[in-house]
Amino acid sequence: MRLLIALLLPWLVFFTIGRPVAGIICLILQLTVIGWIPAAIWAVYSLSQYKTDKKIEQALGKR
């Protein structure tokens, strides 16, 4: 679900993963038509990093 949001409303993804400052910067970038593509790419990349960080945190927590 977050991946779909990352493509349609990239700034919203940053708020869902706890990075509101990046969300505001992404919203400003998304307001330009040219900036929509980089904003979407940035949101998808950040979402994948967030998922990776959660997996690492979970793995280290089980030790």
Side-chain angles (χ1 to χ4, degrees), residues 1 5-6 9 13-14 24 27-28 34-39 47-49:
M1 186 65 175
I5 294 171
L9 298 170
V13 171
F14 290 103
I24 293 169
L27 178 61
I28 293 168
I34 297 172
W36 190 292
I37 302 286
L47 183 60
S48 70
Q49 290 298 322

Side-chain angles (χ1 to χ4, degrees), residues 19-34:
R19 296 181 59 199
V21 176
I24 293 169
I25 294 170
C26 187
L27 178 61
I28 293 168
L29 182 63
Q30 183 182 347
L31 289 176
T32 64
V33 176
I34 297 172

Side-chain angles (χ1 to χ4, degrees), residues 10-63:
W11 60 271
L12 188 58
V13 171
F14 290 103
F15 286 100
T16 64
I17 63 175
R19 296 181 59 199
V21 176
I24 293 169
I25 294 170
C26 187
L27 178 61
I28 293 168
L29 182 63
Q30 183 182 347
L31 289 176
T32 64
V33 176
I34 297 172
W36 190 292
I37 302 286
I41 292 170
W42 182 26
V44 170
Y45 176 74
S46 295
L47 183 60
S48 70
Q49 290 298 322
Y50 174 76
K51 289 179 180 178
T52 302
D53 291 345
K54 287 295 178 184
K55 287 179 184 178
I56 291 171
E57 190 175 288
Q58 184 181 18
L60 291 177
K62 290 184 178 181
R63 282 188 174 186

